[in-house]
Amino acid sequence: MKIMNSWASAARLIAQHADQGKVSIVSCDVFDTLLIRKTSPQFVTDATSRFVEDDLGIQLELVMSQRNRAWAMEVSRSVSKGLDAEATVGDYFLTWMRLLVGDRMTEIELVSLASRIVAKEVEFEQECLTPNLELASALREAKTRGIKVVAVSDMYLTSAEIGTLLRYHGFGEIVDSVVSSADYHLQKKTGRLFKKLADIGFYGETGTSGVLHVGDDTRADGVKALKNGVKSIVVYDRREMAARALSLSNGRETTSVSVSGDILRHSTAGNAAISLGTAGFGPIYAGFIHGVAAKAVDLKLGSVWFLAREGWLLHELYQSAIEAGLVKNAPPSGYLYASRLSTMKAQLESFGQTEMKAARDNTADHSLGSILLPLCVSAEELGKVLGGASLSLSDRADEDTIATLDAYAPFKKMVNAIGERELAGMREYLIKTGFPQVGRVGLVDVGWGGQIQENIEKVIRKLGWTTEVFGLYLGTDHRAEARRAKGMSLTGLVADTRRGGAPGIGAFSFVQGLELATRSQHGSVKGYGADGSPVLTTDGRGRKAEEVDDPVIANIQIGTLEFARQYFRNAAMAGISADDSIDNARDAIDVLSLLPRRQDAKLMLSFNNVANLGMEDGLLLGGEASVFRPRKLIATLRTTLWQEGTCAYALPFIGPLAMLLHRKRRRMLPEPKALSTASSAENCHNAPTAADVVADVLALDLATVRRDTASQAFHKTVNPTRSHLWSFGVRDTVALAAVRRLHGRGTGSANERASSIGRACLTFAFKHPFAELAKIGLKKFI
């Protein structure tokens, strides 16, 4: 028996034996050998139990207890016949169904039901397994040398079901035959299955002399194989064993944290941007979209609309959640080309002091020519109008100048004409897209103040439509609270300034970063043509600045989508609630925003944030400053949009932690407080109105655009650091504990994660082959 510490080394040893002609048959364990589990085995059995609960309408606790009882009954029958403690899935599930439904079904109906449940468990197993590519490559090479490959597994699934799993994951042409302990009710871990296979001539005329068995279990695949004359390789792959230990340490209850951890521990990334999207933004936006779907059902919305441009990625995530069956009866969705600029012009009746001051706040250039850019009027035409009021484009937009222009009749006439034209264009666009004229709709965006929603509601009222609008945002700030006071419905699902220093508060330190990570590759919406076609920004200084970042953002989005799709499938199987997903998103957002990793901060700091109110100004998210140049560092911190990221680049972990401590000492951190829901409209129960939704009125294949754009990025290979026991979770758990402690929210979630890591460390150590051999020897001695 040889013990190897990685699948790569095991693959090399198999190739060496094949080259030297030492083996004629390579026998392989299946689960956690040919097929690597991405979750604990308990996850699959629990998922099947939940399926039975929904299918039969029986309480989950009873379903699970009767499954355990059925297993005990079948195992007892096997042992009473002098066989091992094993069961065949067909008999096992048939007994299970009998215990659940009794005589309410005929025997034929019971057999049919049990077969359907077996098929569902196999389907769940498929989702939770991934092929061992290193071993597959070695076995494929061995096959070219005429070596036979067989799969031998201790499992209640029969060889037929296991064969289905192997074929699904690409082993159909590699594995010649499959044997399961369920076929004979004899197991590897007792050694009787190896003896049975030798007795029936499974290994051929030469018996076990030319057989090499490979597996991950020291007792079943090593000691017992060797005792029955089978040479063996026991593989203790540290990376996979660490992942397995962490999965097993989560306990009986499956949570959003455990589901996310299982996904991240088996994720791979081609570059740093995909890694950031997977491990950083993935849990945040997966949790947010789960909350959006659940909230849409609670509010009985007829449809939900994702606002351009951040809504492009969010809409794809929502579609993935629906396809995974995450939330039942979730409404249809659409992608709405609408921006602050386009909706502002569509409801425009005047461009007075309020609008001009808002425009001035979006640019450092306070000339009239700059703050009037949102009107999208040519400089020549605008210059003529301003000339009549004795003003010019270069005049400073101070209080007096704005007041003069606000009172000038020709300017008001020009503004009215723009408003009428844009309103007519937006009306055509909304009709063409299928936006409902009655009923209840949701508008989904990253956040923060609800300005676009307010503009859309004004447009709807001007058009005479009666549509009720509900804003569903990742985060809402004080501006949203002011609009709530006016009767608007806005919900910050992950972060809300009304909650004070509650979890998720980190979002407001990372506003631009959260938006940039979801930004689509099409330009900002400038307005609408007479036929209702959205007019997008295609050039200009601001657009060029955006395009520089597009390839990296596209890779971040690829990672985010990959994580979310797997998360939605697993969360649906595990019955994860939206509240649990949102809690995990809050933890993830606080760690990423307030105590980011240096490699993540470095990637994000150079991104350009461009205001979409018609201006061309762009600001970097942060700056790369060294702690050894304190003057430059202080100057950078004064102007950066993400101070924590700048600190993380200058001094990893310690830098952003010092920033938090400074704010704590200066009493700059928000105080914890309860969330008031008195102004929300979440208790309305009007009947929803069906909508004929067109997701993308421009018929752009935006997913292809993202893929092609992503290929332009510089690919720097990175190791998925979160996959190893000693690095995964430890750093983030410490960061989460620090954030919670400084914000006065308690460290409950961080403590739970720390306990899980501690249990995993013990499991990791005690499952080592040397520890297993020591336990076997100790038992013999005792």
Side-chain angles (χ1 to χ4, degrees), residues 61-71 96 99-100:
E61 288 75 10
L62 179 60
V63 172
M64 299 176 80
S65 65
Q66 295 293 55
R67 175 166 185 158
N68 293 335
R69 185 182 171 196
W71 172 256
W96 183 21
L99 292 173
L100 286 174

Side-chain angles (χ1 to χ4, degrees), residues 579-600:
D579 289 340
D580 192 8
S581 294
I582 289 174
D583 284 342
N584 186 41
R586 287 172 179 152
D587 288 346
I589 212 170
D590 284 341
V591 171
L592 178 62
S593 303
L594 300 177
L595 282 169
R597 295 171 182 265
R598 188 177 191 269
Q599 64 182 32
D600 296 340

Side-chain angles (χ1 to χ4, degrees), residues 669-690:
L669 296 179
E671 294 295 327
K673 56 186 178 181
L675 174 61
S676 170
T677 57
S679 60
S680 70
E682 298 171 3
N683 296 321
C684 299
H685 295 289
N686 296 345
T689 301

